[in-house]
Amino acid sequence: DVQLQASGGGLVQAGGSLRLSCAASGITFDDYAIGWFRQAPGKEREGVSYFSSSDGSGYYADSVKGRFTLSSDSAKNTVYLQMISLKPEDTAVYYCAYAPAIMPAFYSNPDFYTAWGQGTQVTVSS
């Protein structure tokens, strides 16, 4: 089974930066996707960024485009989400998720993913 461990959250001031990590184990497919989602209290889960393993492509929601950047370290089976210029509205629990397929049209659908990490809290103070 694929297992994901999300980490790197914390408390930062508006304008600050954080780097989230999603460490994966048990992946056997060469082509897979890692999605980052977030959920704030009382709000729906929102997809923010998606990574395709085949070519390292990153996809971003409009709300984070230009501020969030995906990268990966294949030796560590880890995908990173670098977040800069953080805003109070970025405050949420951030989750990473795994899908054993490359299908960008489905990346924003949480049902596309077959494994989820436990979440890491990001709090941005104003």
Side-chain angles (χ1 to χ4, degrees):
D1 290 352
V2 173
Q3 294 187 332
L4 304 175
Q5 179 75 35
S7 62
L11 172 64
V12 295
Q13 291 186 331
S17 302
L18 282 173
R19 189 178 76 160
L20 304 184
S21 300
C22 179
S25 61
I27 293 178
T28 58
F29 290 99
D30 289 334
D31 292 338
Y32 60 88
I34 297 291
W36 282 98
F37 291 77
R38 65 187 181 187
Q39 188 163 22
K43 293 190 176 181
E44 295 284 324
R45 184 167 39 185
E46 173 192 18
V48 294
S49 304
Y50 318 100
F51 171 83
S52 293
S53 69
S54 56
D55 59 3
S57 295
Y59 302 81
Y60 303 92
D62 288 343
S63 58
V64 306
K65 201 169 291 183
R67 300 187 299 120
F68 290 13
T69 305
L70 289 161
S71 63
S72 69
D73 184 335
S74 58
K76 296 181 178 180
N77 287 329
T78 300
V79 173
Y80 302 99
L81 183 66
Q82 179 70 50
M83 308 185 295
I84 66 171
S85 302
L86 284 162
K87 306 174 181 180
E89 51 264 43
D90 294 318
T91 295
V93 177
Y94 283 70
Y95 300 89
C96 60
Y98 162 85
I102 303 291
M103 299 180 73
F106 291 90
Y107 282 177
S108 63
N109 185 348
D111 293 336
F112 177 65
Y113 299 87
T114 59
W116 291 78
Q118 85 288 1
T120 185
Q121 176 71 47
V122 172
T123 303
V124 184
S125 63
S126 58

